[in-house]
Amino acid sequence: MNKGLSAIRLNQEGYATGLPVSAAVLAGGPVILKNDAGEILRTVSFDPPQADPASGDQVALLDLGVLEAGSYQLGNESGVRRFAVRPGAWNDVTHALIKGLYYQRCGCELSPVHAGPYSHPACHTAPALDWEDRSIRRRITGGWHDAGDYGKYVGPGAVAVAHLLYAWELFPQGCSGELNIPESGNGLPDILNEARYELEWILQMQRSDGAFHHKLTTAFFAPFIMPQDDLEPEYLSPLSFCGTADACACLALAARVYRSFDEAFAGRMLFSACRAWDWLQAHPDFVPFMNPEGIRTGWYRGRGDTDDRFWAACELFAATGEEQYKAAAEKLLLSGQQLTQFGWDDVAGLGALCCLFDLKENAGDVLGPRLREEFLRQSEELLSLSRASGYGTALPPDGYTWGSILPVMGGAMAMIMNTLLTGRQDMRSAALLQWHYALGLNALDLCFVTGFGENPVLHPHHRPSDADGIDAPVPGLISGGPNNKICFPQTREKLGENVPPAKYFLDETPSADTNEIAVYWNSPAVFVGAYFNMLSGR
Ligand SMILES: [Zn+2]
């Protein structure tokens, strides 16, 4: 047990009515559950804590079952922890995770009305220069700053938008609240308003031949200054295959989602997606994106583009019903896809979402029953990982890499999808443990979302949070979390070789390797939060 940390680990945002309450205990002996008045409700005995391979902790995971709304105390001889069970317990944090993307907006003022103390003037408003032909200057507006830096990247942005759109499609009751953003009250749910801010930017990143530029960034990462003070020129990097396919997929998905709200916008997106697909068809051989000599911002290379093309083909089939896209998606599925992957590096899970929950009976045998069976088989592995972990975290001990929150949230997404397909409660409970992990039920006793929980991340690697002169970081941003695989030398120096993977973390601004934020880490957490928020009683 870490010195100074509680021996009882909880979801620090509390628990929602109607869903089971879990806690992790790092000491032996019975645990006593009391109500707010201090009356003993139950003595919980449990098997002796077991060694958790990822953290080195001796830990037991308790399932306290469904508790009535109220305030509780859970304790043993090593301490007491208080928590509440209430309707809508995760409504605020889920919506804050969406609002976190608003704070990443580029090219517009964040006004005091919407951003409070985190307001700032418009940033990055100069025309963009085409890296390959500096005589070309284009005025490109909007988009989200990608992460702790001020770059904007097509593929990662497209993936983040897709998470939001699927959250809204599948769990609208869990994520449709007002966010106090400039568009609030315009008749569109704010989650779709926020996603549109990125979609309008993605549309502008298309070249005249249908391909998409990989990114729009300065040549080097900015120092730790506010975005409006970053006055270096922004360059359009060359095209990328993954970026083109991801934009294609995301725009086709968005065309379907926005059609009933704004037909003209949907039409623009579908037209753009079809042009991107045509470019991909004319360029079948994958070429990885390489940073041009002189550009040193994020690489987001992508190891191949068959997953990206698979997702794109699924979405275009769903948006148009045309056989050519179905045939392409079938062929790409049969070439082998990781259907539980939801990050920029492998997007095949987004194609699975499309087939399982949009195409459904229109999917045909391959994208229907065959994909379903393969998806269920692959998602079973996540349940096994969760069961093998002392904290129920669906990551193997060697899975704590840069942005480990992504596979944790992605695993939860897959287990939620399994639950929707099969009704299995074991899958749902394991998915819920991943949500609890993000909010404090973990080896660090840390809530990974800024501004929430008793012990939240305070010093994320995020330029505005550092440069704005406000102690508290920008709220609603999720940290990448422990990483002992791809580390900076200074992180190694501080933590050494003996800190276990699940604790390889520094709540320090320079530690991009463990404590950066990213739009595509917030977004899968929105999907997971929206589902459980929807299930919670009101
Ligand atoms: Zn900006």
Side-chain angles (χ1 to χ4, degrees):
M1 198 178 97
N2 284 5
K3 205 175 161 204
L5 300 184
S6 170
I8 295 170
R9 306 291 163 81
L10 301 169
N11 185 322
Q12 296 176 14
E13 277 296 297
Y15 296 86
T17 45
L19 289 166
V21 173
S22 300
V25 183
L26 287 85
V31 170
I32 294 168
L33 180 69
K34 297 180 181 173
N35 63 16
D36 208 25
E39 296 161 351
I40 295 177
L41 300 174
R42 206 193 308 168
T43 299
V44 187
S45 39
F46 52 93
D47 294 336
Q50 301 288 312
D52 171 46
S55 65
D57 289 340
Q58 298 282 325
V59 57
L61 200 53
L62 309 189
D63 178 358
L64 300 173
V66 174
L67 302 178
E68 282 176 21
S71 298
Y72 296 89
Q73 305 173 27
L74 190 66
N76 60 13
E77 71 271 12
S78 41
V80 172
R81 203 91 186 241
R82 293 169 186 277
F83 64 93
V85 175
R86 58 194 171 94
W90 303 314
N91 193 52
D92 288 353
V93 67
T94 299
H95 285 88
L97 285 161
I98 310 170
K99 178 78 180 261
L101 301 169
Y102 164 79
Y103 291 113
Q104 295 292 97
R105 285 190 187 192
C106 182
C108 67
E109 180 198 15
L110 302 192
S111 78
V113 173
H114 305 112
Y118 303 100
S119 65
H120 64 72
C123 55
H124 303 110
T125 51
L129 301 171
D130 193 314
W131 184 263
E132 292 177 301
D133 180 353
R134 308 288 169 86
S135 69
I136 301 175
R137 294 162 71 88
R138 291 180 53 200
R139 188 163 290 282
I140 293 179
T141 58
W144 296 320
H145 300 140
D146 175 65
D149 65 316
Y150 296 134
K152 286 155 285 184
Y153 303 77
V154 168
V159 166
V161 167
H163 294 141
L164 298 189
L165 298 188
Y166 276 113
W168 180 78
E169 265 209 312
L170 296 174
F171 323 122
Q173 307 92 324
C175 58
S176 293
E178 281 220 354
L179 301 173
N180 183 27
I181 58 177
E183 300 81 5
S184 293
N186 68 355
L188 206 64
D190 272 349
I191 185 171
L192 297 189
N193 280 322
E194 195 51 53
R196 182 169 181 161
Y197 196 79
E198 181 76 354
L199 284 162
E200 294 279 11
W201 173 78
I202 291 174
L203 281 167
Q204 297 168 70
M205 290 295 284
Q206 192 165 30
R207 309 193 321 174
S208 55
D209 63 354
F212 280 75
H213 293 281
H214 189 66
K215 59 178 173 177
L216 176 57
T217 71
T218 51
F220 297 90
F221 288 127
F224 273 67
I225 54 178
M226 288 300 283
Q228 69 273 18
D229 298 328
D230 180 23
L231 301 174
E232 292 296 314
E234 285 188 299
Y235 297 99
L236 286 158
S237 276
L239 69 87
S240 83
F241 281 63
C242 294
T244 299
D246 294 345
C248 173
C250 172
L251 291 167
L253 160 64
R256 195 161 44 72
V257 169
Y258 288 81
R259 197 173 279 155
S260 61
F261 297 104
D262 186 338
E263 209 169 326
F265 178 48
R268 274 200 288 143
M269 291 194 287
L270 188 57
F271 180 69
S272 170
C274 291
R275 287 176 58 224
W277 180 260
D278 292 343
W279 185 90
L280 291 164
Q281 290 302 96
H283 298 83
D285 298 321
F286 174 70
V287 180
F289 175 81
M290 304 294 285
N291 258 338
E293 186 73 35
I295 288 198
R296 300 286 295 276
T297 49
W299 188 4
Y300 292 114
R301 179 176 62 144
R303 285 166 296 187
D305 69 356
T306 59
D307 56 304
D308 312 83
R309 287 173 189 257
F310 166 66
W311 177 33
C314 294
E315 297 291 1
L316 276 168
F317 178 46
T320 66
E322 287 179 25
E323 279 297 314
Q324 57 160 326
Y325 303 122
K326 183 187 185 191
E330 288 177 346
K331 194 171 163 205
L332 288 157
L333 175 67
L334 296 174
S335 72
Q337 297 294 342
Q338 298 293 317
L339 299 174
T340 59
Q341 295 293 318
F342 301 92
W344 62 267
D345 194 32
D346 190 337
V347 298
L350 294 164
L353 262 169
C354 177
C355 293
L356 293 166
F357 300 103
D358 282 311
L359 289 173
K360 294 187 278 199
E361 60 276 11
N362 298 323
D365 285 347
V366 176
L367 301 179
R370 183 153 181 172
L371 180 145
R372 184 181 196 272
E373 188 186 330
E374 182 62 21
F375 171 79
L376 292 177
R377 191 185 65 73
Q378 292 181 17
S379 53
E380 202 68 42
E381 167 73 9
L382 294 160
L383 183 61
S384 307
L385 286 171
S386 172
R387 285 183 171 154
S389 157
Y391 290 92
T393 315
L395 262 194
D398 66 355
Y400 289 82
T401 185
W402 192 306
S404 56
I405 196 72
L406 175 62
V408 176
M409 291 297 100
M413 286 177 69
M415 291 190 279
I416 288 168
M417 289 161 65
N418 185 305
T419 305
L420 296 174
L421 294 169
T422 64
R424 279 174 58 179
Q425 297 304 296
D426 54 350
M427 280 284 174
R428 192 187 76 172
S429 297
L432 183 53
L433 287 171
Q434 315 315 307
W435 179 241
H436 293 335
Y437 168 90
L439 298 177
L441 203 166
N442 57 53
L444 295 160
D445 197 5
L446 190 71
C447 177
F448 287 109
V449 182
T450 54
F452 287 84
E454 197 179 320
N455 181 26
V457 163
L458 294 174
H459 307 288
H461 183 89
H462 180 237
R463 280 162 177 73
S465 290
D466 186 66
D468 61 10
I470 300 165
D471 282 349
V474 171
L477 301 174
I478 198 163
S479 164
N483 158 32
N484 74 337
K485 305 269 277 197
I486 309 169
C487 289
F488 294 157
Q490 57 268 35
T491 302
R492 287 260 182 255
E493 208 169 288
K494 281 198 171 176
L495 292 173
E497 296 302 322
N498 297 324
V499 172
K503 294 177 178 170
Y504 222 88
F505 178 83
L506 292 170
D507 186 11
E508 297 177 5
T509 303
S511 184
D513 50 349
T514 72
N515 203 24
E516 191 167 4
I517 64 92
V519 295
Y520 50 85
W521 297 337
N522 263 52
S523 54
V526 169
F527 183 100
V528 177
Y531 173 66
F532 289 113
N533 188 34
M534 177 191 76
L535 293 186
S536 162
R538 289 289 187 280

